[in-house]
């Protein structure tokens, strides 16, 4: 039944159409909702960000946070597999987790997303979320301050974006003056190199200027991964014992600055690394650098509960970390999905950054926290990243609910606090619910009366519900007994949503 699509109803909000530009919020079981999204959104989502239950043993805001490990891993596996079908070819999946399940989650997802020796894992971002010197309680064996964001790509050949940094003149502070003609001209590495002894060279620090030079020490990866570094290692460094320290070599035809040459310098006495001087590159006004696999969001985590107007203590991510990921992996108008929606941080940030979004949440706080928060965002609320992105308000979203069948009875059974309340639900179940077809109702009721405790009766009543009929399937929307339950607006919406 999980391959079925489910009827969507407005949940008090009236709409009869949807377009690719619309944002979408769905209330209901996220696994079933993902299957319902597949026909319309397969291959269209650029970024999936997930903040699942951490399985810490603490019950956090009605999430089932106390799965056995195997059950939790199966829970995640089923959702990741269908979610990957929604990603575009250049899309990425991000999952944030604590140390409790981090190694097990990493092993699971590595396994299910690997084929023929290909690895979709890009890297794990280490996120500092608490100050190392501020322990929450003294009875813990260690101070848990890190969380981890696992990052996977849809495509095996995915290239990780790089930081784009605008070049500045700040480090261009040197001038080099050769006072005389070269002391020697020598061919090194196929180039006619002018050599100046230290007494005939004046290197000075000046105020930063675009016409000055930057001094780069030849060490580490520069020795191998930089053309100037490789030239120095191959041709200049072997001459250290032949010339005095700080001898200068003027090498033509190297670099993309306007000079047409590059100065190389032997190390100072007692040091081992030489250097080269370069002008400002002319090919581009930006430089690209790899992102580090560590970020510090302690400050933002400390104030996260104040963001978004509505409190969601200990269950809310700061808007800044979602902005970081959306900045790295998406562009404006790209589609972002979060199916552990919680307090709607991902959707709020996506709206403020001009991205489209889909959010899915099963818990009832979707109507007391999540949706009201997004309505505040539309009105222009100024918490979180609002000032950083100059958020002025605007935007919209469509709200829909999976049309409940047995799911409604299941929720009522779970919420019942007395045997009398349970039996009232059972009375309604006998009239309309789909129960196990093998059930002998008369015998069941005799046995049910033998259970005196609330939990025992609840367990038995949940057991007889047909779990394959939790929601109304879209395939049955034109059946007479279903069509009468669906408004005209919702009927038209479903026809458009699931249209070919």
């Amino acid at each position: 039944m999980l391959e079925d699509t489910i009827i969507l109803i407005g949940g008090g909000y009236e709409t009869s159409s949807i377009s690719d530009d619309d944002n979408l919020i769905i209330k209901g079981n996220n696994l079933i909702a993902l299957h319902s999204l597949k026909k319309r959104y397969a291959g269209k989502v650029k970024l999936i960000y997930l903040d699942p239950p951490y399985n810490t043993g603490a019950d956090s805001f009605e999430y089932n946070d106390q799965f056995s490990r195997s059950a939790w891993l199966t829970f995640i596996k089923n959702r990741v597999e269908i979610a990957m079908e929604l990603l575009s070819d250049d899309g990425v999946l991000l999952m944030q987790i604590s140390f409790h399940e981090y190694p097990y989650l990493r092993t699971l997802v590595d396994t299910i997303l690997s084929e023929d020796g290909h690895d979709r894992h890009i890297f794990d971002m280490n996120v500092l979320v608490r100050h190392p010197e501020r322990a929450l309680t003294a009875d813990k064996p260690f101070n848990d301050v890190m969380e981890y964001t696992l990052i996977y790509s849809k495509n095996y050949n995915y290239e990780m974006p790089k930081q784009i940094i605008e070049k500045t003149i700040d480090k261009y502070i040197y001038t080099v003056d050769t006072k005389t003609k070269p002391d020697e001209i020598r061919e090194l590495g196929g180039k006619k190199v002018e050599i100046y002894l230290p007494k005939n060279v004046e290197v000075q620090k000046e105020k930063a200027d675009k016409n000055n030079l930057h001094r780069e020490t030849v060490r580490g990866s520069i020795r191998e991964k930089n053309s100037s570094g490789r030239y120095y290692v191959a041709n200049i460094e072997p001459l250290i014992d032949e010339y005095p320290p700080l001898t200068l070599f003027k090498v033509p035809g190297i670099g993309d600055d306007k000079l047409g040459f590059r100065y190389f310098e032997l190390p100072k006495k007692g040091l081992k690394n030489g250097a080269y001087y370069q002008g400002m590159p002319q090919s581009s006004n930006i430089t690209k650098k790899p992102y580090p696999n560590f970020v510090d969001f302690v400050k933002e985590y400390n104030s996260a509960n104040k963001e978004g107007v509505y409190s969601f203590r200990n269950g809310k991510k700061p808007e800044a970390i979602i902005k970081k990921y959306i900045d790295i992996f998406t562009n404006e108008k790209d589609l972002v999905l979060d199916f552990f929606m919680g307090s709607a941080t991902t959707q709020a940030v996506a709206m403020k950054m001009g991205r489209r979004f889909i959010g899915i949440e099963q818990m009832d706080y979707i109507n007391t926290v999540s949706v009201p928060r997004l309505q505040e965002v539309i009105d222009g609320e100024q918490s979180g990243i609002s000032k950083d992105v100059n958020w002025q308000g605007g935007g919209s979203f469509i709200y829909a609910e999976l049309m409940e069948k047995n799911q409604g009875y299941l929720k009522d059974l779970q919420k019942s606090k007395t045997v009398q309340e349970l039996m009232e639900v059972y009375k309604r179940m006998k009239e309309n619910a789909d129960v196990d077809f093998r059930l002998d109702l008369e015998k069941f009721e005799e046995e049910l009366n033998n259970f005196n405790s609330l939990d025992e009766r609840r367990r038995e009543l949940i057991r007889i519900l047909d779990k394959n009929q939790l929601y109304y399937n879209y395939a049955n929307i034109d059946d007479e007994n279903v069509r009468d339950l669906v408004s005209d607006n919702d009927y038209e919406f479903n026809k458009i949503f699931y249209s070919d």
Side-chain angles (χ1 to χ4, degrees):
M1 295 299 281
L2 289 182
E3 293 300 328
D4 290 334
T5 52
I6 302 301
I7 295 175
L8 298 168
I9 58 175
Y13 300 86
E14 291 191 4
T15 184
S16 59
S17 65
I18 185 171
S19 74
D20 289 342
D21 293 329
D22 287 318
N23 300 312
L24 178 62
I25 300 297
I26 297 178
K27 181 177 188 287
N29 180 288
N30 57 11
L31 180 58
I32 296 173
L34 287 170
H35 281 281
S36 295
L37 292 174
K38 181 179 173 181
K39 182 175 181 181
R40 185 177 185 89
Y41 292 103
K44 294 183 179 180
V45 178
K46 187 67 173 292
L47 168 65
I48 299 175
Y49 173 82
L50 303 180
D51 181 25
Y54 281 8
N55 204 29
T56 60
D59 193 3
S60 175
F61 284 90
E62 300 187 73
Y63 271 131
N64 187 342
D65 209 17
Q66 299 181 18
F67 288 103
S68 68
R69 176 164 291 135
S70 60
W72 184 86
L73 290 171
T74 300
F75 170 85
I76 295 295
K77 175 180 180 291
N78 292 338
R79 286 151 179 80
V80 168
E81 287 177 335
I82 179 62
M84 292 300 291
E85 297 187 42
L86 302 181
L87 278 179
S88 60
D89 284 342
D90 58 349
V92 291
L93 167 68
L94 280 66
M95 292 175 288
Q96 189 152 333
I97 198 69
S98 67
F99 77 92
H100 302 83
E101 297 291 354
Y102 164 66
Y104 307 100
L105 179 64
R106 171 69 192 276
T107 301
L108 169 75
V109 183
D110 279 358
T111 301
I112 64 178
L113 297 187
S114 296
E115 293 179 8
D116 302 325
H118 296 289
D119 188 3
R120 288 173 171 165
H121 178 252
I122 304 173
F123 73 103
D124 295 338
M125 184 70 82
N126 299 273
V127 184
L128 188 65
V129 300
R130 283 176 286 277
H131 196 285
E133 302 302 322
R134 296 178 187 170
L136 296 178
T137 59
D139 59 348
K140 286 189 173 183
F142 63 93
N143 191 12
D144 173 22
V145 300
M146 298 293 297
E147 290 189 0
Y148 311 91
T149 304
L150 285 65
I151 304 175
Y152 293 85
S153 62
K154 174 70 172 284
N155 194 312
Y156 296 122
N157 298 317
Y158 181 83
E159 290 189 14
M160 177 67 194
K162 288 184 168 55
Q163 300 179 76
I164 297 177
I165 301 171
E166 188 172 347
K167 293 174 182 175
T168 66
I169 64 171
D170 296 353
K171 60 184 181 180
Y172 293 88
I173 57 174
Y174 290 95
T175 60
V176 177
D177 182 16
T178 51
K179 301 176 181 180
T180 64
K181 292 180 179 180
D183 295 290
E184 183 181 349
I185 296 177
R186 183 170 175 174
E187 186 167 311
L188 298 172
K191 299 179 181 295
K192 289 188 176 181
V193 177
E194 297 180 1
I195 302 174
Y196 298 86
L197 297 177
K199 65 181 181 180
N200 296 321
V201 177
E202 185 176 359
V203 177
Q204 291 188 325
K205 279 188 177 181
E206 308 281 355
K207 182 179 179 181
D209 188 277
K210 65 180 181 180
N211 295 314
N212 290 343
L213 305 177
H214 161 62
R215 185 179 186 274
E216 187 72 59
T217 304
V218 181
R219 59 183 175 183
S221 62
I222 289 178
R223 295 174 60 86
E224 299 174 359
K225 298 181 180 180
N226 176 287
S227 60
S228 294
R230 290 193 297 271
Y231 183 88
Y232 175 87
V233 170
N235 301 287
I236 308 293
E237 193 171 61
L239 305 178
I240 286 178
D241 294 332
E242 192 173 333
Y243 293 93
L246 298 179
T247 296
L248 197 72
F249 299 78
K250 184 179 180 180
V251 182
I254 293 184
D256 66 346
D257 52 34
K258 63 182 180 181
L259 300 177
F261 61 85
R262 185 145 292 173
Y263 287 121
F264 289 84
E265 182 182 74
L266 291 181
K268 294 179 181 179
K269 186 177 181 180
L271 299 181
K272 67 175 184 177
N273 297 316
Y276 63 84
Y277 295 87
Q278 68 176 57
M280 285 198 73
Q282 301 297 298
S283 58
S284 173
N285 64 348
I286 61 170
T287 185
K288 295 183 178 181
K289 293 176 62 177
Y291 285 96
N293 67 346
F294 171 83
V295 287
D296 181 350
F297 279 100
V298 172
K299 179 181 177 182
E300 290 81 2
Y301 267 81
N302 285 339
S303 58
N305 199 45
K306 300 175 184 176
E307 298 179 352
V309 181
Y310 294 88
S311 177
F312 201 73
R313 187 170 178 80
N314 297 329
K316 186 188 289 185
K317 293 290 182 286
E319 291 190 6
I321 191 170
I322 307 300
K323 178 182 182 296
K324 174 84 172 180
Y325 294 138
I326 288 180
D327 268 333
I328 294 174
F329 295 107
T330 74
N331 298 307
E332 284 194 17
K333 297 185 178 180
D334 281 341
L335 183 57
V336 177
L337 167 63
D338 180 350
F339 51 85
F340 292 101
M341 180 175 165
S343 64
T345 300
T346 302
Q347 291 72 29
V349 174
M351 187 179 289
K352 293 177 184 181
M353 296 180 68
R355 274 62 168 177
R356 296 174 296 136
F357 62 79
I358 300 173
I360 305 171
E361 180 56 63
Q362 182 171 355
M363 308 312 298
D364 288 339
Y365 56 67
I366 190 173
N367 289 312
T368 59
V369 175
S370 318
V371 167
R373 177 180 186 175
L374 294 179
Q375 291 168 330
E376 293 284 348
V377 172
I378 292 171
D379 290 340
E381 66 87 13
Q382 290 297 299
S383 67
I385 66 165
S386 292
K387 291 182 174 59
D388 292 338
V389 299
N390 192 30
W391 178 245
Q392 301 298 312
S396 64
F397 60 90
I398 290 174
Y399 176 89
E401 298 181 358
L402 300 182
M403 187 175 176
E404 293 181 344
K405 196 175 186 183
N406 280 356
Q407 176 69 17
Y409 298 114
L410 178 60
K411 288 166 59 177
D412 290 343
L413 289 172
Q414 291 170 332
K415 290 180 179 179
S416 296
K417 296 182 179 179
T418 66
V419 170
Q420 183 179 352
E421 288 180 7
L422 272 180
M423 299 313 292
E424 287 294 327
V425 178
Y426 176 55
K427 184 178 179 180
R428 289 189 283 113
M429 285 169 55
K430 287 196 293 183
E431 294 175 359
N432 296 304
D434 287 312
V435 297
D436 189 334
F437 69 90
R438 298 163 296 184
L439 182 71
D440 182 331
L441 193 60
E442 185 176 338
K443 183 178 179 182
F444 172 77
E445 290 184 350
E446 289 178 4
E447 294 175 348
L448 187 64
N449 289 328
N450 294 326
F451 294 107
N452 295 319
S453 79
L454 175 67
D455 288 338
E456 286 176 329
R457 288 203 181 196
R458 190 195 328 270
R459 184 185 66 243
E460 289 303 303
L461 289 171
I462 289 175
R463 180 180 63 82
I464 68 171
L465 279 173
D466 185 347
K467 306 305 187 298
N468 289 324
Q469 297 295 327
L470 294 178
Y471 297 93
Y472 284 96
N473 295 324
Y474 173 70
N476 304 125
I477 195 170
D478 289 311
D479 292 355
E480 184 177 350
N481 64 329
V482 177
R483 179 64 184 88
D484 289 344
L485 302 174
V486 181
S487 73
D488 291 341
N489 271 336
D490 289 338
Y491 182 84
E492 291 300 322
F493 179 82
N494 279 272
K495 289 294 182 181
I496 293 171
F497 189 86
Y498 293 119
S499 64
D500 295 327

